[in-house]
Structure formats: structure tokens, C-alpha cells
Amino acid sequence: MEVEAAEHSKFEVNFTGKSIIRAINPLPGPHVLSLSNLDLLSGRFPVTYFYFYCTPLVSNFTPNIVDILKSSLAETLNHYYPFAGKIVQNPNTSEPEIVCDNSGALVVEAQANIPLKELNFYNLNQSLQGKLVSLIPNIPLQVQVTKYTCGGISITFTFDHALGDASAFGKFLVSWSEIARRKPISCIPDHRRNLCARIPPTYHPSLDQTFVKCTIDEIINMPTTRILLKRLYHIDALSIDRLQTLACVDGNKRTKIEAFSAYVWKVMANAIDQSHSKCKMGWLVDGRARMCKGGNENSMSNYIGNVLSVAFAEASVIGLKTGSISDIANDVHDAISKVTNQDHFLDLIDWIECHRPGLMLSRIVLGRGGPALVLSSGRRFPVTEVDFGFGSPVLGTVCSTIERIGVAYLNQRPSGRGDGSWTVSAILWPELAAALESDSIFQPMSAAHLQL
């Protein structure tokens, strides 16, 4: 392990170029796009996705990779024009809005001093910040293409959350890769941001217990769980199936995510300070299928923006320690079911309307109410589909560059192996990381998992 640590400590990145890429055929004149209520709730923090690719199969392809990415990005921005704009504060409403003026996206080029297989895929604190992700303020879309000595590359995509959520960014990445391969795009993006409040706005009082209006000082000074470790794990398909079997008893059918959540929540109960008698878990829920119009389940599938809410549940530490995976999975299922409906999202839009202007967050994300963990499931998020013409990635996942956060986070994505295994990126406090790694389910990500 000491030798491995020494190898990883040598990892350096030399930045070799920067370009601003604009849409080839921009809109005539600046166009202002107002954010929806759900955009305002999601906030402005950066979201980073990173993908790793082995040496291209075509030997003469490597020198042209960046040129191909730039030219296809310029064409993609024709369809996703807000991503080439800038986000400014409206002086009248004091709320952010997107000015679609084709200011452009940033592409950074870099060269690493190691082969891809020597990268520390497990310790994201060491690998990402300032090396594979280097952010410049006030550019909503930033891309970094890093080449390795073996010929492999990594591409990191960082989006301002005001542009959209995981579903929107996934559509963008797939469209970009399709254009790079000279394929017709499979998504005609919907940029209308037409999720409006009802007149008059009304909402269930329970939302006051889930969400809260806050100040920037409260966000900056949110309580944190001391040291936050950013880690990447591999979860094999057999472990996932085994957890689902444990969760599905007495005729109850539970999803893989519900079973996985039950396991994580149970482990979490054993990894918190003994002074806490309860702990919480939350789940990000995409509302597109719930907000469909006219009974058409696909009516919002191409909506570009944020359509997210948070389900949460609280349980006693003793109950979690002694309860079975199936019992806890039932509680998970009940909690998520409360928000997977149209009424919840309509109420949430109205709740935001009643609390505008200003900052709003989920209480659980703000770190209020004791230890908590939020899980985001990306089972439909594109991984192998993000092929720009030089092969599918061996890894695609998400990570936050935020330094201060009030909860632990797990983000689940399908692995690039296509065998039902998962990649899970995590933001954890040390005791929780140690507890999860004490079992064989959470395997620290390595080059071997990626078959490098």
C-alpha cells in the first residue's frame, strides 16, 4: 500500500490549452431564459461528471480527439443554446436567469504524467480538485480533456446546476456524442422551463418540514460532519442481487435501490456518534415521469432543466441496528412513494412560489437535524452511450467539488462493464467510510475493476 500511495502521490497534470467554444448557428440576438421554481430550489453549485477512456482503437485518432470534441461541441450548442450562455442576477427580481448570448463553453486541455492505470480512482480528494477539475468562475459549462501517457484520456464535464439536473445533463452528453459520431440526435431538447405555480399557489403543510428558506450565511456555515472524504466504489452485480433478495420477503417486491438503501442505512446507524438516537436518509427523485401531461409518460422526457425533489425518512438508531434489511427496505419504499406523484411536485412548485425570492434548500441537505445521508440513483444515466467515436468509456460517474456540505452523499451509476455492476461515488465522514469498507460490498475502485 505504501508503494501504491507513493505512485499516486506523483500524479501531476500540466495544462496545455484553453478554448472558448461557441454555437455555430446561435440564436439571433440575446435571449433571456427565466429559471423555473425547481431550478431555483436546485441552486447554483457545480456538478461534475467524469469519464475515462482507454487508448483509442484507431492509432491515428489520438491527435484529433480534442479537435473532434470541440467541433462537435460547437454543433451541439446549437441545440443546447442555454449551455453556451451566462447566468446573471436579474436586478429587478434578484433571482438568477440565463442570458443565451452564445458567450460559449470552456474547453481546457491537459496532459497527465502517468498512465491511466496508475490513477487513484478510489481517492477522489487526491485525483479531482485542481487536477482533473479546474474551474473558472461564471462559465456555466466547462470541459477538461486530459491525456495520459498510455494514450488513454479522461473528460470531465462541469455544469452549473441552474442549467439542469442529471437527466438534462445526460441528454446533453448523449446528444454531443451522437453528433461527434455523425449520428442524428435522439433528443430534441425542450428549453421552455414551463413548470409554473398554480394560481393561487397552495401546498401541503408537510413541505414546511422538508424544505426551508435560508440565507447565504446559513449555507456557508452549515454544520458539517468534520472531514469529508470523497471516494469511489465498485459494487458487483451479485452483491446487489443478494441485497434485493434479502429485501423481498413476505411477497413484497423491492427495487435494487430500495434494498441497497436499506443496507446503507443500517451500516450508517453503526457509524454515527452514540449521542444521536436517530438518523435520516434522503433520496433525490426525478419528477419528469410524474409531471407528464395529457397522460403521455414521455411528454417531459426531453425537458432540460431541474425537476428534482427530495424524499426523506427518519428512523431510530436502535431500530436500524436491530431491524432486518426487508423491514428497513419497506420504510425506504414508503418514504420514496410519498413524493413519486404529481401532487407532490405541484405542491413543491407552489411552496417555492410562496417563498420567493431568496435561497431555499431541503432541510436534510442543509445539515439540520443530525446525521443524514442522501442517495441519488442514476440507473438510466448514460455511461457506455457516451462514445465520441473513440470507444465507450471504462468509467463514467459524478462527483461534487463542493468543499462544505451538511450531509453524506452517495451517487449510484451503472458501471462501464455492462454486467449489472455499479459505480458509486461518495462523500462520507471517516467513520462511515470505514464502516462501509469493512464489508465486501463497497469495494474501493481500482484499475483492476476497470479492467485496465
Side-chain angles (χ1 to χ4, degrees), residues 29-342:
H31 168 68
V32 175
L33 189 61
S34 298
L35 300 185
S36 75
N37 285 6
L38 295 179
D39 293 326
L40 297 174
L41 181 66
S42 290
R44 293 287 315 280
F45 62 88
V47 181
T48 296
Y49 298 90
F50 54 101
Y51 287 75
F52 294 88
Y53 300 81
C54 290
T55 307
L57 297 177
V58 182
S59 59
N60 64 350
F61 199 88
T62 303
N64 302 318
I65 284 178
V66 175
D67 290 338
I68 291 171
L69 289 171
K70 287 179 181 178
S71 61
S72 55
L73 173 58
E75 191 173 340
T76 305
L77 291 174
N78 292 339
H79 304 278
Y80 291 82
Y81 55 87
F83 289 41
K86 58 189 176 186
I87 302 173
V88 301
Q89 187 177 59
N90 183 305
N92 298 319
T93 65
S94 299
E95 293 178 336
E97 60 187 15
I98 304 174
V99 179
C100 305
D101 61 355
N102 203 27
S103 293
L106 175 68
V107 175
V108 176
E109 300 169 53
Q111 177 68 54
N113 67 332
I114 59 172
L116 199 54
K117 66 180 180 181
E118 290 186 13
L119 186 68
N120 191 336
F121 292 98
Y122 163 63
N123 186 347
L124 299 183
N125 295 78
Q126 185 181 99
S127 302
L128 283 183
Q129 196 74 20
K131 294 181 178 179
L132 299 185
V133 181
S134 55
L135 299 182
I136 294 178
N138 302 318
I139 302 180
L141 170 58
Q142 303 185 37
V143 181
Q144 180 174 323
V145 184
T146 306
K147 297 180 181 179
Y148 296 80
T149 57
C150 60
I153 67 168
S154 63
I155 311 177
T156 51
F157 312 87
T158 301
F159 303 88
D160 189 306
H161 215 320
L163 292 177
D165 53 20
S167 178
F169 301 147
K171 296 287 187 184
F172 172 81
L173 293 177
V174 169
S175 294
W176 185 359
S177 64
E178 289 168 340
I179 288 172
R181 287 181 285 121
R182 297 301 169 196
K183 304 286 186 182
I185 60 173
S186 55
C187 167
I188 305 301
D190 176 0
H191 297 295
R192 290 176 293 176
R193 311 239 171 181
N194 56 347
L195 299 179
C196 302
R198 295 168 292 193
I199 302 175
T202 181
Y203 61 88
H204 194 280
S206 63
L207 289 180
D208 288 324
Q209 307 305 314
T210 308
F211 299 93
V212 63
K213 187 166 182 174
C214 56
T215 65
I216 187 64
D217 287 338
E218 288 175 308
I219 293 176
I220 292 173
N221 297 310
M222 70 172 66
T224 63
T225 50
R226 297 182 291 109
I227 301 170
L228 289 175
L229 305 177
K230 296 178 181 178
R231 298 290 184 257
L232 194 63
Y233 298 100
H234 174 84
I235 316 287
D236 66 50
L238 287 176
S239 295
I240 300 164
D241 292 340
R242 186 164 58 250
L243 289 175
Q244 189 174 27
T245 299
L246 292 173
C248 296
V249 299
D250 299 328
N252 292 322
K253 292 184 178 180
R254 296 292 171 251
T255 66
K256 289 179 170 61
I257 283 295
E258 289 169 343
F260 180 69
S261 297
Y263 168 77
V264 168
W265 205 358
K266 190 174 180 66
V267 172
M268 177 184 168
N270 290 286
I272 63 174
D273 190 282
Q274 293 183 0
S275 64
H276 297 287
S277 61
K278 295 184 177 181
C279 64
K280 295 180 179 179
M281 192 160 177
W283 300 267
L284 293 180
V285 176
D286 188 333
R288 284 171 176 78
R290 286 88 195 179
M291 294 291 290
C292 58
K293 299 171 183 178
N296 180 5
E297 293 186 3
N298 295 318
S299 62
M300 285 199 63
S301 61
N302 292 344
Y303 180 91
I304 305 302
N306 290 279
V307 197
L308 293 178
S309 184
V310 180
F312 85 96
E314 184 177 61
S316 72
V317 171
I318 294 175
L320 291 169
K321 287 181 177 180
T322 59
S324 66
I325 292 293
S326 61
D327 289 338
I328 302 171
N330 291 340
D331 293 338
V332 172
H333 174 81
D334 292 343
I336 296 175
S337 296
K338 291 178 181 177
V339 306
T340 53
N341 58 81
Q342 187 181 63

Side-chain angles (χ1 to χ4, degrees), residues 3-40:
V3 173
E4 183 182 24
E7 288 179 351
H8 290 322
S9 67
K10 298 176 185 176
F11 176 47
E12 294 177 358
V13 170
N14 180 37
F15 296 97
T16 58
K18 286 180 185 174
S19 305
I20 294 293
I21 306 300
R22 297 179 173 87
I24 299 172
N25 298 308
L27 295 174
H31 168 68
V32 175
L33 189 61
S34 298
L35 300 185
S36 75
N37 285 6
L38 295 179
D39 293 326
L40 297 174

